[in-house]
Amino acid sequence: MAMMMKTRNRAVSRGALLLALCVLALATGCREGALSYEYADTSQVPTPGQTTPDEGGKDNNQSPDDPLEDPPIVIPDGPMAGRSPMRLLTRYEYDNTTSALFGFTIAAAADFPSENLADGFENNAWTHNVNMTLLRAYINASESISARAWEDPPAALSGCVGNAPSSALCQEGIADFVTQAFRRPAYDDEVALYQKLYRDMRSSDGARAAFETTVQAILQSPQFLYRLELFEPSPMKLPPRDGGMDAERFELVGPYEMASRLSYFIWGTMPDDELLAAAERGDLNTPEVLSAQVARMLADPRAKEMTRQFHRQWLGLDAFGSVVKDETAFPVWEDGMSQDLRLSIEAFIEHVYWEEGVFDAFMTSPAVFLTPELAPVYGKAVNEQSGGLWREDFPAEERAGILTQPGMMALLAYPNQGSPIFRAIWVRERLLCQHMPPPPSDIQIEPPDPDPNATTREVFAIHTANEACAECHLLIDPLGFGFEGYDALGRWRDVENGKAVDTSGELIGSPEQAMNGPFDGAVELANRLADSETIAKCISKQWFTFAMGRPHDTSDADSMSRIYEQFLQNDTAFTALFEAIVLSDSFRYRKRPEVAQAEFEEANPDLVAMETPAEEQGGE
Amino acid sequence: MIKKRFGRRHFLRGMGGVAFALPLLSTGIVARDARAETTTEGVTFPKRFVFMIHPNGVIPQAWFPTRGASGEDSDFQLGETHAPLEPLKDKLLLLENVNLEVGNWDRAVGPGEPHQKGMGGILTGRTLNDGQFVGGDGSRAGWGSGQSIDHYLAERVGKNTPLPTLHVGVRADSHIGSEVRSRVSYTASNQPAPPLNDPVDVFNLMFTDAMTDPGAMDEIKRRRGSVLDTVGSQFDSVYKRAGYEDRLTLERHLKMVRDLESRLSAEGGGIGGDCEKPDTPPSLEVDSEDTMPQIATEHLDLVALALACDMTRFVTLQFSNSKNGLRYPWVDSFGDGHGLSHAGPSNETAAKELRARDRWHAQQAAYLLQKLDEIPEGDGTLLDNTVFVWCSEIAVGNTHSHRNLPILMAGSAGGYFKTGRFVSYGSERSTNDLLVNILNAFGQDVETYGDPQYCNGPLSGLT
């Protein structure tokens, strides 16, 4: 009885989901060309002076039959830099920063509400923002940290604690500490506000309260919580390179701001002493110095944290916390294995990025990292000497890269069966940077009532038998079917319910014709895509998004092409990708304040009318 | 139910059976907006709005009541789903033929797929922004594009409560984290308010201080006030050196800092306030099917306490999210929630599991509403001064329709709503209309809310 019910659930979960999706996609007029993709490379971006092309790069929200509705954009000559909005520290950035600042670790941000996501990333400048719950959490965190700091003060504030600390000495220390906390020299008026708080609290409540409240105020101030690039001319001046940046419109990002861009990108924390010293000297302005810093930082173990955090977000690894598997269908499964699978993926990433170091390994490495609990699930003996996590190289026919990692297959699945849909959409969205067109506006709904006893394949057949359904589903189903060789736990299988598994699939609609076509099994797909430009470009784009805290836009087109070129020319070494991002114009330059202001005013006349008079512009 | 006069202390059973005392509600604490309060014998009680949502629709045959022979609105039998609410029947108000018009996906209405639209549109009354969240069918949408009514009300009513709003989640972020399918409450367009999934976090939000000594509390409040004052000045300092785009961000943050400051310094307010703090909830695995029922109970206890102590007037309670990859093993439902909801009407196995889940949700509602109904306020109870709304982001999982959204209300908001009825609308109405009713109940003289093209004014026949 239980088995029968389970079979019905299989049909319910998989088949009904697909039928419902089919209903949603009826008469959608999907066709291969309707997939849009977001990587802006030079072949898509118009040459200077031209308007946007009318092929490729179609707006995602347009029906395939409509012409572009947006007015043509004229792209100015030469390279450009995009926006650099202020960025709220994410949870792990907050914890890393407070650890570095105070010299002790209180993981206070574990209690913060989770960040709002944008394309899976937590650090989007506009999407990750404050709310009332977070503000209260900041209060709590700052109070815990300040209490601990009284016992264990950072060097700059050591003059503030103890039995009878000197108020004058403490206030000097506050000035130093604020500069560290702000990651830049503080202005006198900024420091003065904290010093006043200290003095007032000292006389009303005593030395300890004065110290703690001052620390709390620093930790809740915008200059601490945000990476804010001040609206003042950058002191780093370089003549533009030939044919390069338009010096009338763009300038180098300021030295301390560059230090923060580097440290938060590569280490997820505030700049270290060496970066701050370089900033003070005004050194972070040439490609040579930047390359040297990048190399130094990548050699530091904190850089591994960067790749771990990136992949946690990009691959959605937090969802492992929600994964359960049906113990009746999979008696071998135990609670806690999803956490092991997460470690397995993290170890794979670390191996591919830091030991193999190239994109090809990401796509084709047969390495799978196992724990003593996982080993028997995937048919391997426990390695007693391993210290809990070790590498196994699986047969090349069974495993190739990220596409076939057991953890990913288990994540992209239901409790009791795999999901071709989840897997296909993941490949499209995350690896190919493609997304589906929306259903059209004239759908008629016929509520589906699938036979609960139908097998999955019978249900699938209804999709492709119906012409209207088939058009869209050809973009998903055949791609997902190629993964049928991996069950809900990500185990390799060649039989299912006594029958040979059919792993034939097809990729259509990718931007490279050479990548399209039938394939048999995800391993073949992985090897084919390893030679693909599309995924390599998509990965460049994802890293750019992560590094910049925003997706790329048309003004980053030149930077994106150069980044990608560097990646390719260095045999897709990841270190080359990271360096290329740092050396790109988008990372190093920004619009000059007066240009940004003029453009903003032009675009937002109503807002400007409300602004206070513009005697506030630039620094002191 | 013995009605107690104002002036005595009343007790609620809290976590682990520990009794805690309710505050003496003095007129100094409650808001001065007479229309958002109920006054009995010169004593004023605030009105509250509580919103509960569970994902992926219901089994309509089990949800909707059956009418009696007389055809009167008050003559009906509760659907099987709502059996746990039978004792409160005369305080319930069920609706029929109210559509989530800003979702209505069989007519093109904004970006996104039905789940995204439902979550982002139910309390905002608006279609979604464009954006990059990928829905179940590959559609893309952004966040909700307007302020939800809980925040609208919080800006106008009960401005001295320590928490403007309280958002509680039971596995609300499972599988997908914070995105449009897991948020219903918005401070503004693109500004979602996150639910707290861990009862310990909710507890800490409500009771951040170990002190119950009023003198110590005053000291804390004063110091916090000084800190926030300095922080506010830093905003001013940075503002003049920031770019125009950044100024908008700074302003938004500063506004919240000021709001926080004023609530913390409010007379009789402040975190903790006059409420005796109960024991800390147990620290449980938060995203787990093993602890889900227990966590739900902890949350419901805290919500009741927050309302009784006037820590907030506006609560959202969210079960799961619209991706809903959850099993409910304690009601013998082992299928994936979303997959089950897609089953057609012939699939009796799936229907049975879904009915069991719906029934469990009703038990949660009953637990909370019963608790609220045990707290005397004047001649009535806290529940009488509340309007509670429970619905889902789509009507039926199989069709994804937004027509005839399942809506159950409870509480009369201080006698504003005439409860104990099943009201059916002859021509289709919009959930935006219901939002207007709720605002009107709080004394807000509005005739429309959200996008006016999906709003026809308040629903008739509810008062």
Side-chain angles (χ1 to χ4, degrees), chain A residues 591-604:
Chain A
K591 283 204 183 107
R592 295 184 59 170
E594 55 274 23
V595 172
Q597 178 186 346
E599 288 181 3
F600 186 89
E601 282 173 358
E602 202 187 309
N604 300 282

Side-chain angles (χ1 to χ4, degrees), chain B residues 272-457:
Chain B
D274 290 325
C275 248
E276 277 182 27
K277 194 180 69 160
D279 291 338
T280 312
S283 190
L284 299 169
E285 177 57 55
V286 163
D287 189 9
S288 162
E289 63 192 23
D290 297 326
T291 58
M292 191 167 164
Q294 189 181 357
I295 287 198
T297 307
E298 301 286 349
H299 274 317
L300 296 173
D301 285 340
L302 287 168
V303 166
L305 178 58
L307 295 173
C309 295
D310 205 27
M311 289 184 166
T312 187
R313 314 268 170 91
F314 308 108
V315 176
T316 64
L317 170 58
Q318 180 182 328
F319 288 90
S320 182
N321 53 56
S322 70
K323 177 169 164 82
N324 196 25
L326 306 190
R327 306 191 307 181
Y328 277 36
W330 64 93
V331 296
D332 289 331
S333 177
F334 295 93
D336 172 277
H338 201 127
L340 284 171
S341 73
H342 281 174
S346 313
N347 191 324
E348 286 173 16
T349 313
K352 180 162 174 245
E353 290 192 38
L354 290 172
R355 283 168 194 250
R357 294 182 185 221
D358 286 351
R359 174 78 72 93
W360 182 78
H361 294 133
Q363 282 167 349
Q364 307 316 298
Y367 178 84
L368 176 64
L369 297 175
Q370 204 65 55
K371 263 194 140 51
L372 300 185
D373 207 34
E374 283 165 13
I375 302 169
E377 290 194 341
D379 285 341
T381 70
L382 196 157
L383 177 58
D384 295 329
N385 288 324
T386 298
V387 54
F388 168 86
V389 176
W390 170 24
C391 67
S392 189
E393 95 283 3
I394 58 176
V396 177
N398 173 244
T399 61
H400 292 78
S401 172
H402 285 128
R403 289 221 155 100
N404 192 15
L405 203 72
I407 300 172
L408 179 144
M409 298 169 64
S412 65
Y416 185 86
F417 293 107
K418 270 179 53 195
T419 57
R421 296 183 300 135
F422 171 36
V423 178
S424 205
Y425 291 93
S427 62
E428 292 169 357
R429 300 300 300 266
S430 163
T431 49
N432 285 34
D433 302 344
L434 177 61
L435 300 182
V436 176
N437 290 89
I438 295 168
L439 292 174
N440 292 164
F442 279 83
Q444 303 302 306
D445 290 327
V446 298
E447 285 170 15
T448 187
Y449 192 78
D451 191 331
Q453 61 175 312
Y454 303 111
C455 189
N456 304 312

Side-chain angles (χ1 to χ4, degrees), chain A residues 12 83 116 136 322 429 449, chain B residues 140 162 178 245 287 346-347:
Chain A
V12 165
R83 305 154 80 175
N116 297 326
R136 288 196 182 265
S322 311
E429 289 281 344
D449 190 6
Chain B
R140 292 200 151 200
S178 172
E245 181 173 22
D287 189 9
S346 313
N347 191 324

Side-chain angles (χ1 to χ4, degrees), chain A residues 425-473:
Chain A
I425 290 190
W426 172 68
V427 171
R428 287 280 181 203
E429 289 281 344
R430 293 266 165 246
L431 295 180
L432 297 173
C433 288
Q434 293 190 304
H435 48 262
M436 303 289 293
S441 48
D442 57 353
I443 295 180
Q444 273 295 88
I445 304 180
E446 293 295 327
D449 190 6
D451 179 350
N453 293 316
T455 65
T456 316
R457 277 197 186 269
E458 284 163 354
V459 172
F460 272 114
I462 300 170
H463 274 173
T464 44
N466 182 324
E467 251 186 56
C469 296
E471 288 188 63
C472 245
H473 274 278

Side-chain angles (χ1 to χ4, degrees), chain A residues 101-132:
Chain A
L101 202 51
F102 287 90
F104 57 75
T105 300
I106 293 182
D111 293 338
F112 295 178
S114 56
E115 299 86 349
N116 297 326
L117 300 175
D119 263 330
F121 291 115
E122 295 162 352
N123 63 358
N124 182 290
W126 301 293
T127 307
H128 172 43
N129 44 37
V130 295
N131 54 70
M132 287 297 266

Side-chain angles (χ1 to χ4, degrees), chain A residues 330-389:
Chain A
F330 306 106
V332 70
W333 180 263
E334 281 167 28
D335 281 347
M337 279 183 179
S338 57
Q339 178 58 17
D340 280 24
L341 282 176
R342 182 184 183 147
L343 293 174
S344 169
I345 298 286
E346 290 179 352
F348 173 79
I349 294 299
E350 188 173 315
H351 166 70
V352 158
Y353 269 71
W354 299 105
E355 288 173 7
E356 304 277 359
V358 291
F359 169 70
D360 188 74
F362 180 75
M363 293 302 294
T364 61
S365 168
V368 174
F369 287 80
L370 298 174
T371 63
E373 287 69 35
L374 290 181
V377 176
Y378 301 98
K380 296 292 181 185
V382 176
N383 180 330
E384 302 291 354
Q385 272 84 41
S386 66
L389 187 68

Side-chain angles (χ1 to χ4, degrees), chain B residues 61-210:
Chain B
Q61 298 85 335
W63 174 280
F64 287 98
T66 44
R67 290 207 176 278
S70 74
E72 298 290 324
D73 281 351
S74 51
D75 183 8
F76 66 96
Q77 295 300 316
L78 284 174
E80 161 205 317
T81 293
H82 298 133
L85 290 157
E86 185 71 41
L88 292 164
K89 189 178 172 205
D90 61 345
K91 301 200 174 185
L92 303 180
L93 195 47
L94 286 115
L95 307 183
E96 189 175 44
N97 291 334
V98 177
N99 304 337
L100 206 165
E101 291 287 349
V102 294
N104 243 338
W105 78 286
D106 55 337
R107 304 194 292 273
V109 172
E113 41 88 328
H115 299 289
Q116 295 170 318
K117 290 177 177 179
M119 293 299 279
I122 181 65
L123 287 181
T124 62
R126 292 185 180 276
T127 57
L128 299 174
N129 285 322
D130 285 314
Q132 306 305 313
F133 296 121
V134 182
D137 65 354
S139 295
R140 292 200 151 200
W143 294 108
S145 67
Q147 187 180 44
S148 52
I149 58 163
D150 50 336
H151 288 278
Y152 182 94
L153 286 167
E155 283 180 358
R156 292 159 176 78
V157 169
K159 287 187 279 200
N160 289 334
T161 59
L163 306 173
T165 54
L166 177 62
H167 307 288
V168 157
V170 181
R171 303 190 73 189
D173 290 354
S174 281
H175 293 102
I176 59 178
S178 172
E179 56 126 293
V180 66
R181 292 175 297 175
S182 61
R183 298 290 177 262
V184 289
S185 176
Y186 287 82
T187 1
S189 173
N190 285 326
Q191 308 280 321
L196 291 173
N197 291 298
D198 189 339
V200 175
D201 290 343
V202 177
F203 178 89
N204 286 336
L205 185 66
M206 289 164 62
F207 299 102
T208 46
D209 312 295

